[in-house]
Amino acid sequence: QVQVVESGGGLVQAGGSLRLSCTASGLTFADYHMGWFRQAPGKEREGVSCISWSGDITHYADSVKGRFTLSRDNAKSTLYLQMNSLKPEDTAMYYCAACDGRALRAPLGYWGQGTQVTVSS
């Protein structure tokens, strides 16, 4: 079955950068729009970004536009999220999953354990 492993999270000061990675197995990675989602303590999970199967089209939540960059390597079945100019409000558990485009939803659910991002002031 499908397995997803997220990595790259950690503790960083405000203004710093992190690069998240997600590797998937058990599916044809290139067949799916893939994206990142996050959930902060006491808040509902929200969509962060989504990229088309070809990588031609990307969507971002307004809160991260200009700071985060989503990319994918279908040959490696890997999704990336470059996060720059991090803010304390970015603190959350980050998950990767198939997504549905600009609506930033995960219609197939979540497959991995997530990776924690903590941004200090």
Side-chain angles (χ1 to χ4, degrees), residues 4-81:
V4 171
V5 179
E6 299 101 335
S7 63
L11 175 64
V12 65
Q13 294 188 68
S17 298
L18 287 171
R19 189 192 191 207
L20 306 185
S21 298
C22 169
T23 299
S25 62
L27 79 167
T28 303
F29 186 79
D31 286 349
Y32 297 86
H33 291 51
M34 295 293 295
W36 288 91
F37 302 79
R38 67 186 183 186
Q39 187 168 24
K43 297 183 178 180
E44 294 185 354
R45 192 169 296 174
E46 63 178 350
V48 175
S49 60
C50 184
I51 189 168
S52 67
W53 64 88
S54 66
D56 291 338
I57 303 171
T58 54
H59 302 278
Y60 298 92
D62 289 341
S63 60
V64 307
K65 286 181 179 177
R67 300 188 298 120
F68 292 8
T69 302
L70 181 64
S71 62
R72 67 190 298 166
D73 185 339
N74 290 339
K76 296 181 178 180
S77 297
T78 301
L79 186 74
Y80 303 97
L81 185 67

Side-chain angles (χ1 to χ4, degrees), residues 8 10-19 66-68 81-88 90 94 117-121:
L11 175 64
V12 65
Q13 294 188 68
S17 298
L18 287 171
R19 189 192 191 207
R67 300 188 298 120
F68 292 8
L81 185 67
Q82 178 66 47
M83 305 186 295
N84 298 324
S85 301
L86 283 162
K87 304 175 181 180
D90 296 317
Y94 283 71
V117 172
T118 302
V119 185
S120 63
S121 300

